Amino acid sequence: MSRRSILSKAQKASRKNVFVMLSTLLFVGVVTDVSAITPQEVMENALKVYEDIDNYKAIVQTYEADSMEASGRIFQVQQPIISFNLFFRKPGEHVVGQISKSRHGIFRVEVLSALRRLSEIELKLEAREVLLGQNCYVLACTSPDEPDTLIKLWISPTDWTVQQFTLIMKSLTLANTQFKYPPGGKRRVRFLPVETRSFFPLSKKVLINRITDYRVNTRLPSAVFEENNEQPR
């Protein structure tokens, strides 16, 4: 056997060993990356998105729709059933101030305060699910005061934004709320939802909240939170 032939076989074996080693490392890396993250780390990453936001004020208008897939044209052809101001301040407090009188109640899920409150509860990490085109981490938790109530969050690892909030009581889904964020823009406002769409399975109703006119890190009087101490629903 020629020296060239022997070297050729050695080189092939060497390349094969390197390929096997790299494949093994890649496999281990992927598995470790998926399995090593904890629910607390997922929540911490979601909270970091908003670490620069101390407070904000926004205007919210609520519309009724036939489905969660309703066109944005609804904002042009319908009048909102209610309008209200939404205020938030750290660490996790939010209140509303009604603008227009309406027989309808106010329903909203405020992302920042929800994340802060849920971060203080024991969280479980469920199997990942694809939602709205995002392969999300799914967090679940129950309140010690309400063991029959389950809250689930779908969080996208792409930018750590909340894609969906679900409220379940005694195995019955009461509300599914999905969040829409603006494409691009300034960092702070980019990760604040401009729209929420909520489906209530028991009543088959859909409510769409359009959120506009964000004012971030301005001076909000403490009286706003003291006078409007309505709890989230």
Side-chain angles (χ1 to χ4, degrees):
M1 185 180 293
S2 68
R3 184 171 179 272
R4 182 177 178 181
S5 176
I6 294 172
L7 286 176
S8 177
K9 288 185 178 181
Q11 288 172 348
K12 289 180 181 179
S14 177
R15 288 173 185 171
K16 183 177 179 181
N17 291 336
V18 170
F19 175 78
V20 171
M21 183 170 58
L22 288 175
S23 300
T24 304
L25 288 173
L26 179 61
F27 176 76
V28 171
V30 170
V31 172
T32 302
D33 183 54
V34 171
S35 62
I37 196 165
T38 66
Q40 289 74 23
E41 288 171 335
V42 173
M43 180 61 76
E44 288 172 5
N45 287 333
L47 285 169
K48 283 179 183 177
V49 171
Y50 304 104
E51 62 184 357
D52 295 334
I53 299 179
D54 295 322
N55 62 65
Y56 76 74
K57 173 186 176 182
I59 295 177
V60 185
Q61 293 178 313
T62 304
Y63 298 80
E64 289 183 306
D66 295 329
S67 73
M68 292 283 276
E69 291 74 35
S71 167
R73 188 169 177 270
I74 192 174
F75 306 132
Q76 283 74 48
V77 300
Q78 286 190 25
Q79 292 295 318
I81 61 175
I82 192 170
S83 300
F84 57 94
N85 287 313
L86 178 61
F87 303 90
F88 166 84
R89 69 176 178 183
K90 281 186 174 179
E93 187 176 4
H94 81 275
V95 296
V96 298
Q98 188 167 324
I99 297 175
S100 61
K101 297 295 182 181
S102 172
R103 61 185 176 83
H104 299 274
I106 293 174
F107 180 87
R108 78 279 180 199
V109 177
E110 201 290 314
V111 171
L112 282 72
S113 57
L115 286 173
R116 177 58 62 185
R117 290 174 181 173
L118 295 178
S119 68
E120 299 172 354
I121 301 174
E122 183 179 356
L123 299 166
K124 294 181 180 179
L125 186 61
E126 299 190 346
R128 292 179 69 165
E129 294 182 17
V130 176
L131 178 73
L132 302 176
Q134 302 282 340
N135 189 6
C136 299
Y137 289 109
V138 183
L139 297 183
C141 64
T142 57
S143 169
D145 301 325
E146 299 178 3
D148 291 333
T149 300
L150 176 68
I151 294 174
K152 298 178 72 173
L153 292 176
W154 280 254
I155 297 177
S156 169
T158 302
D159 54 11
W160 300 107
T161 53
V162 178
Q163 299 297 306
Q164 180 169 287
F165 173 100
T166 296
L167 178 64
I168 302 170
M169 184 176 291
K170 294 183 178 179
S171 300
L172 293 175
T173 300
L174 301 185
N176 279 327
T177 297
Q178 295 179 352
F179 300 85
K180 179 180 178 181
Y181 301 89
K186 295 181 179 179
R187 183 182 184 280
R188 289 171 180 166
V189 180
R190 178 185 174 189
F191 298 108
L192 290 171
V194 293
E195 192 178 293
T196 66
R197 298 189 173 214
S198 300
F199 174 60
F200 306 89
L202 297 182
S203 65
K204 306 299 182 183
K205 287 186 176 181
V206 174
L207 294 179
I208 299 178
N209 280 341
R210 190 185 192 191
I211 311 169
T212 60
D213 296 328
Y214 276 107
R215 299 290 184 268
V216 178
N217 292 349
T218 59
R219 182 171 295 180
L220 295 181
S222 296
V224 170
F225 296 89
E226 294 167 0
E227 295 171 3
N228 297 281
N229 57 1
E230 182 183 354
Q231 294 298 314
R233 288 177 286 167

